[in-house]
Amino acid sequence: DTAVSQTPKYLVTQMGNDKSIKCEQNLGHDTMYWYKQDSKKFLKIMFSYNNKELIINETVPNRFSPKSPDKAHLNLHINSLELGDSAVYFCASSPTGQLSYNEQFFGPGTRLTVL
Amino acid sequence: AQTVTQSQPEMSVQEAETVTLSCTYDTSENNYYLFWYKQPPSRQMILVIRQEAYKQQNATENRFSVNFQKAAKSFSLKISDSQLGDTAMYFCAFTPNTNAGKSTFGDGTTLTVKP
């Protein structure tokens, strides 16, 4: 069974559209993340949720809105897509607490292409 | 704020030989974790090895080992007996030991193992 899954794996869309990417983890982790990996492969954190509560919100345009309906799901909605949003978006999860290593488990990524 | 620096954007090694990837970081935290993640062409991010900052002993996972120098804030990854399947991008990451601490990733090193 897949530990961290994302849908869709590929997304091609026109500029100006609104799209969502879904993420689910079945590891029982408390914390989930969204990362953006650009064309140069740099990996930057966008958001983090702990038990459905937003705890990290990096400098990301407010066209990006994460939503966590429960601690196993973290979705990313993007409004008014721009060419520069083209990237691979990774969802990740990690356990937290004193005995955890905060090791992150990554999803397979969603390659978003904005035309 | 933490920073993680990987000074080698690209490296190559002959199959069966040993290669070392460098990583330095900067932080004012005393308690933290360090990780090396591997991203093969399939783009799935996989944890290679982790190190707790409070442990002096260097972590080892089969052919992968680290040289952790806390005072120098250095965390290099040594791959012994390199295999073709080790070809991937390698990311060094730092995570403070706080509840859902934010991880900072280096810019990655692309390693090519040549037959």
Side-chain angles (χ1 to χ4, degrees):
Chain A
D1 279 346
T2 306
V4 182
S5 59
Q6 293 178 229
T7 53
K9 286 192 177 170
Y10 298 93
L11 185 53
V12 180
T13 188
Q14 299 287 332
M15 233 169 34
N17 284 350
D18 303 338
K19 289 293 177 187
S20 292
I21 307 171
K22 295 186 176 182
C23 178
E24 176 181 1
Q25 54 98 0
N26 62 8
L27 298 166
H29 290 166
D30 298 320
T31 306
M32 296 184 72
Y33 310 81
W34 277 111
Y35 287 89
K36 179 180 180 181
Q37 187 174 42
D38 61 23
S39 58
K40 294 183 180 177
K41 303 288 185 122
F42 298 150
L43 195 64
K44 300 296 181 204
I45 191 164
M46 301 173 69
F47 302 103
S48 174
Y49 272 72
N50 180 253
N51 281 316
K52 302 192 299 175
E53 186 180 334
L54 180 66
I55 54 170
I56 295 173
N57 185 351
E58 291 296 287
T59 308
V60 176
N62 56 16
R63 298 182 294 103
F64 290 79
S65 52
K67 282 194 171 50
S68 182
D70 55 61
K71 75 174 193 178
H73 295 85
L74 180 61
N75 304 323
L76 183 66
H77 188 76
I78 315 170
N79 288 326
S80 303
L81 278 155
E82 300 177 357
L83 294 176
D85 298 332
S86 295
V88 179
Y89 292 84
F90 284 98
C91 176
S93 72
S94 69
T96 52
Q98 280 191 326
L99 298 180
S100 80
Y101 299 100
N102 288 358
E103 168 194 340
Q104 294 185 38
F105 294 77
F106 285 82
T110 296
R111 180 177 292 281
L112 171 65
T113 303
V114 182
L115 303 175
Chain B
Q2 289 80 226
T3 59
V4 176
T5 302
Q6 293 178 246
S7 58
Q8 307 146 315
E10 293 181 0
M11 293 192 73
S12 63
V13 64
Q14 290 295 134
E15 197 175 5
E17 293 189 348
T18 295
V19 64
T20 299
L21 280 57
S22 68
C23 173
T24 57
Y25 58 95
D26 192 20
T27 183
S28 57
E29 302 275 349
N30 193 46
N31 221 357
Y32 50 87
Y33 301 105
L34 294 161
F35 305 90
W36 278 99
Y37 287 90
K38 168 184 176 180
Q39 186 179 35
S42 68
R43 87 171 182 232
Q44 177 70 54
M45 293 276 283
I46 306 161
L47 177 71
V48 175
I49 198 166
R50 63 176 174 234
Q51 174 82 40
E52 297 100 297
Y54 61 86
K55 286 190 177 177
Q56 291 187 341
Q57 186 172 7
N58 289 324
T60 300
E61 285 287 341
N62 301 314
R63 298 182 295 106
F64 298 88
S65 61
V66 298
N67 183 1
F68 174 49
Q69 303 286 331
K70 190 172 184 180
K73 294 180 181 169
S74 169
F75 181 62
S76 60
L77 174 70
K78 185 170 91 171
I79 307 174
S80 304
D81 186 25
S82 297
Q83 300 176 359
L84 296 178
D86 295 334
T87 291
M89 192 147 188
Y90 288 81
F91 291 94
C92 177
F94 169 101
T95 303
N97 186 16
T98 58
N99 193 32
K102 172 185 153 185
S103 292
T104 302
F105 284 75
D107 288 342
T109 296
T110 299
L111 175 68
T112 303
V113 180
K114 298 179 178 177

